[in-house]
Structure formats: C-alpha cells, structure tokens
Amino acid sequence: MEMGARSIRVSAAFVKIADTLVGDYDVLELLHTLVEESVDLLDAAAAGLMLAGADGNLQVLASTSEESQLVEALQQESGAGPCVDCYVTGLPVTVRDIAGTGDRWAQFKNAATAQGFRSVHAFPMRVRGQTIGAMNLFRTETGELSEEAIAVGQALADVSTISILQKRTASESAVVNQQLQDALNSRILIEQAKGMIAQIDNIDTNEAFQRLRSHARSTNQNLRDTAEAVLNRSLKV
C-alpha cells in the first residue's frame, strides 16, 4: 500500500473510532469498530479482543470472525496464550510462528493452527500503567507485523482504551469496573441473540451478528437493547 493511501486510511480509522464516542456511547460498538479497522489496516486475517471484568478475569468482548472468537475463548478458558500474557505483563506479544511455540501454549497453538492461523500479535489495552485487556491480530502466514503496522495498531488500541476510561480517575475505579462489567453482560445477550437469529433464519452467526449490528446502527440503538428486543421476540432483524 502506498504511503499516502495508508495515511488516509489510518486517519479515516481514527475518525471512525471517534464517531462512536458520542453521548452515552456503546463500549461494544467501539470495540467492534477497533478490531474491524485493525484487520482492515494491518494486513491481518482476523482479530479478537478481551477485557477484564471487575473480578480481573478476561472475557471475550469482540472478534471479527467465529474462528478468532473460538481461539480467544480458548485462551479465556485455559488462562494461557499470547493475549493473556499481553494483559498480565502490559506488554506487546509477538508470535511469528504459532506452530513453533512448542508446549508454551499448547491448547492455544492447537486451536489457532486448526483455524488456519500461523502468526499473531497481541496489543495491550493500557493507559498510564493500567491495563484493562488485550487485542490479538491473527495472520494466515508466518512472520511479524511491520514496525509501522505495530505502531498504528498500538495507537488504535491506546485511543480506544483512553476512550473507555475517559474522564475517570483512580477514585472512580468502581465506576470504570461497572462500565466494563456492563459491557461483559451485554456480550452475553448479544451472543444469545446471534444464536437465535442464526437458528431461525438458517444463517451463520457472522451474518446474524452483522444483521443485529446493522439494525442497531440504522435505528440509533445500542447493541444490548437490540439484542434484548430480539430475545423478547419484539424485533426481527
């Protein structure tokens, strides 16, 4: 990609993320925008993102595909993998060849390679020493991201983290924890609504989620309210 074209697309990505931050913005919409823009800009096949709840445990909140969600969920359940290490240390983790990691993250390795992923880069979601989660970028070839791609990916993650924690101070940590917990609870409802739509209309869950999200956007509702309406059978998307 030419430098000028990349610069334009990077700027557009930051504008798109900023556009989600209006009024009482939807944290889940922000996170889905982050993973989608990161995949589009950084030559990745898929992305997944985990945030820590009030109890400090990581949970999957956003992914660009069922394949990446499956691998992220495995890390969540096993408590091991590059995304987990990235969160614990607050530092980026690069794995240029997943198949060559030996027994370091055996379950992650098996799950990731089974889904066709060959390399991964994990970006910490952090600001001022506080790490709230991590984002994984999965690729279908071995090797590392370029320095430019790493810088852009970390900047996108940093801006999103600041947005989540905006105007919060250490004395307001309970408010921050509640905000993240609300997002985690919303994710459960959204997964249930995805499953219902997929089953009723005989489509895959990726398409079901896109329908759910498109309706939320077109009606200016948040994802949680739209999912609840689907589950209550007062809405068909």
Side-chain angles (χ1 to χ4, degrees), residues 1-12 41:
M1 184 188 302
E2 294 183 0
M3 183 66 70
R6 177 181 286 276
S7 297
I8 291 172
R9 291 180 62 194
V10 169
S11 297
L41 282 172

Side-chain angles (χ1 to χ4, degrees), residues 128-207:
R128 297 196 184 98
Q130 181 179 5
T131 305
I132 63 172
M135 175 178 70
N136 274 344
L137 278 187
F138 297 97
R139 304 173 74 210
T140 54
E141 62 277 339
T142 58
E144 300 179 10
L145 291 173
S146 68
E147 290 186 7
E148 179 190 9
I150 291 173
V152 171
Q154 189 63 64
L156 288 168
D158 289 347
V159 167
S160 299
T161 305
I162 291 169
S163 300
I164 293 171
L165 301 179
Q166 66 176 336
K167 300 179 181 177
R168 307 301 187 191
T169 65
S171 63
E172 296 172 305
S173 60
V175 176
V176 173
N177 286 336
Q178 186 60 52
Q179 184 183 36
L180 296 180
Q181 193 60 50
D182 287 346
L184 295 170
N185 294 338
S186 296
R187 180 69 183 177
I188 295 172
L189 292 176
I190 291 165
E191 289 299 315
Q192 292 173 340
K194 278 170 52 180
M196 179 180 287
I197 296 167
Q199 183 176 26
I200 292 174
D201 292 343
N202 194 29
I203 58 176
D204 65 36
T205 52
N206 286 330
E207 182 178 347

Side-chain angles (χ1 to χ4, degrees), residues 36-58:
E36 288 176 351
E37 291 300 310
S38 296
V39 166
D40 186 48
L41 282 172
L42 306 178
D43 191 29
L49 187 149
M50 294 196 288
L51 289 187
D55 56 4
N57 293 323
L58 289 171

Side-chain angles (χ1 to χ4, degrees), residues 48-50 58 72 75 81-88 122 134-136:
L49 187 149
M50 294 196 288
L58 289 171
E72 294 288 64
Q75 292 188 80
C83 204
V84 176
D85 281 13
C86 181
Y87 166 68
V88 171
M135 175 178 70
N136 274 344

